[in-house]
Amino acid sequence: MSVSTSSGGYVRRLGMRDAALVVMGGIIGGGIFLNPGIAAQRTGSGLALLSVWIGAGVLTLLGALCYAELGARRPQAGGSYIYLREAFGPLAGFLFGWTMLLVIYSGSTAAVATIFASYAAAVFGLPAAATTPLAVGALVFVAGINLRGLRLGVPVHNLFTVLKLLAVATLVVCGLFFAGAGAPVLAADPAHADAGFMGAALPVLFAYSGFTYLNNLAGEVREPQRTLPRALLLGMFGVIAAYALVNVAYLAVLGHAGLAASHTPAADVMQRVAGGTGAKLIAIGIAVSTLGFCNITLVAGARVLQVMGEDGLFFGVVGRLHPRHRTPNIALLLLAGWASVLALSGSYGQLLDYATFGDWLACAIGVATLFLYRRRDLAEPGYRVPGYPLTPLLFIATVALVVVQSLRDSPYNTGMGVLIMLTGVPVYWCWRRLFSATRS
C-alpha cells in the first residue's frame, strides 16, 4: 500500500475501497434494524414508508455530493469543523466541535454501544446487568484498536462493514425469498391512516446520519480530490439500495401494521423464517453492525477534536499526534471516555434526542459554506457538485423544513438541542479569554 503524509501530519492510507466502506460503515449502524418500526407508526402505508426511506436517501445523497466538493477543496482532517471555521469564523467551528463532543458523536456512540451490548448479552445469555459494562468494554475495545493507527484500524473497520453488509443481505434474502406468502408491500394501513408524513423523517434521517464522517478523515485519504467524491457516491448508492431492500423485506413479512407494532423488526423477520436460530443470527449481525459504527464514529470524531486542539480552540495536548502511529490518541481517548460516561449514566438516549436534529442542522450549515467557497476560493478543486446551486439549496431547504417540523412536533427536545449548542457561546468566549491570557 503506497502512503503519503498530508499537510496536517496524517498518513494517507485510505484507498477507494477503504473510503467507500468508511461511508457505508459510518451510516449503517443500528438504525435500519430498529427505526423502521417507528417510521411505520408515523406513516399510513407501505408506499409512504418506502417513500420516506428513499426520499431521505436522496436527500442524503444531495448532501454527500456537496460534501464531496468540500472535501476536494479542503482534503484535510476536520471535515465540517474546517468548513465552518473558514467560512463563518472560529466561533462557528467551535460550536460544531462543542456539540459534537458533548452530545452528537458521543451520544450516538454511547447509544449504539448500548444496543451492541443488549444484543451481545442476548446472544450469550448474559443478565441485563451486564449490558452497561459490555457497552463500556466495547468502547474501550474499538478505541484501543485505533490507538495504533489506520494500519490496524482499517482492516478491522473493513471487516466490520463487510460483516454488517452480510447481515443486511441475509435479512433481505430471508425476508423476500424464504418467508413464504408475503404481505402486500405497498398496501395502506387503516390503523395508521391519520399518521403524518414528516413525523417519520427524524428516525429515518438518524439512520442516514454519518455520511460526513469520511470528510473528517480526508487527511488520510489517498488522492483525495479523486477518491473522496467517488467513495461518497459509491457508498451512498450502496446504503440507499440496502435500506430500501431491507424495508421491502420487513413489509413483505410483517406487513405495515405488523412492522408498526414491532420493536425489533429484524429479529421478528428472522424468527418467522428460521425460528430461534434465525433470531440469534440476526442478533449477532446487529451486534457486529453496531460495534463497527462505534468504531468509525470515534475515529472520525477524534480527528475533529485534534484539529481544534491544534487551532488553540481546545486543550493543546488534544491536538498532538502520536509520533509513530500519527494518530490523535489523546483526542480518541477523550471522546471514548466521555461516551463511556454517557453510557454509564444512562442519559445518552435523552441527549441523543436533543441532538439528532442538530447533526442535520450542522450538515445543512456545512453545505451552505459551499457558496462562500465558490466566491472566495477560485482554485479548481477537481470535483464540482452537479446542479449547483440547486443541489445545495434543495438540501438546505429540506433540512430546514425538517427542523421547523421538529420544533412544532417536539419543541422541548428541539429547544434543548438548541440550548446545548448555545451553551458553547459563553464557553467559547471564556476559553478565548483564558487562552489569550495564557499566551500573553
Side-chain angles (χ1 to χ4, degrees), residues 122-217:
V123 168
F124 295 105
L126 300 177
T131 299
T132 299
L134 272 175
V136 174
L139 295 174
V140 172
F141 171 70
V142 295
I145 288 174
N146 290 283
L147 290 176
R148 298 183 63 83
L150 293 184
R151 187 183 298 276
L152 175 61
V154 168
V156 172
H157 171 71
N158 289 351
L159 177 62
F160 281 148
T161 304
V162 169
L163 289 175
K164 75 172 64 178
L165 291 175
L166 180 61
V168 167
T170 301
L171 183 60
V172 170
V173 170
C174 289
L176 296 182
F177 299 106
F178 298 130
V185 170
L186 304 180
D189 179 5
H192 297 86
D194 296 331
F197 186 82
M198 288 299 297
L202 275 184
V204 173
L205 285 176
F206 173 73
Y208 278 104
S209 298
F211 73 92
T212 63
Y213 290 169
L214 179 61
N215 287 61
N216 293 359
L217 299 166

Side-chain angles (χ1 to χ4, degrees), residues 223-263:
E223 301 180 30
Q225 281 84 1
R226 183 176 68 91
T227 302
L228 274 167
R230 295 182 181 182
L232 280 164
L233 289 177
L234 181 62
M236 276 309 309
F237 280 124
V239 170
I240 293 171
Y243 280 10
L245 288 172
V246 167
N247 276 278
V248 170
Y250 289 152
L251 291 168
V253 176
L254 304 175
H256 188 277
L259 179 57
S262 175
H263 297 290

Side-chain angles (χ1 to χ4, degrees), residues 18 80 83 94 117-118 121 134 214 227 266 291 296 348 355 360 397 431 436:
D18 303 322
S80 295
Y83 316 145
F94 179 86
S118 299
L134 272 175
L214 179 61
T227 302
L291 190 62
I296 192 60
Y348 58 85
W360 280 89
W431 180 270
S436 298

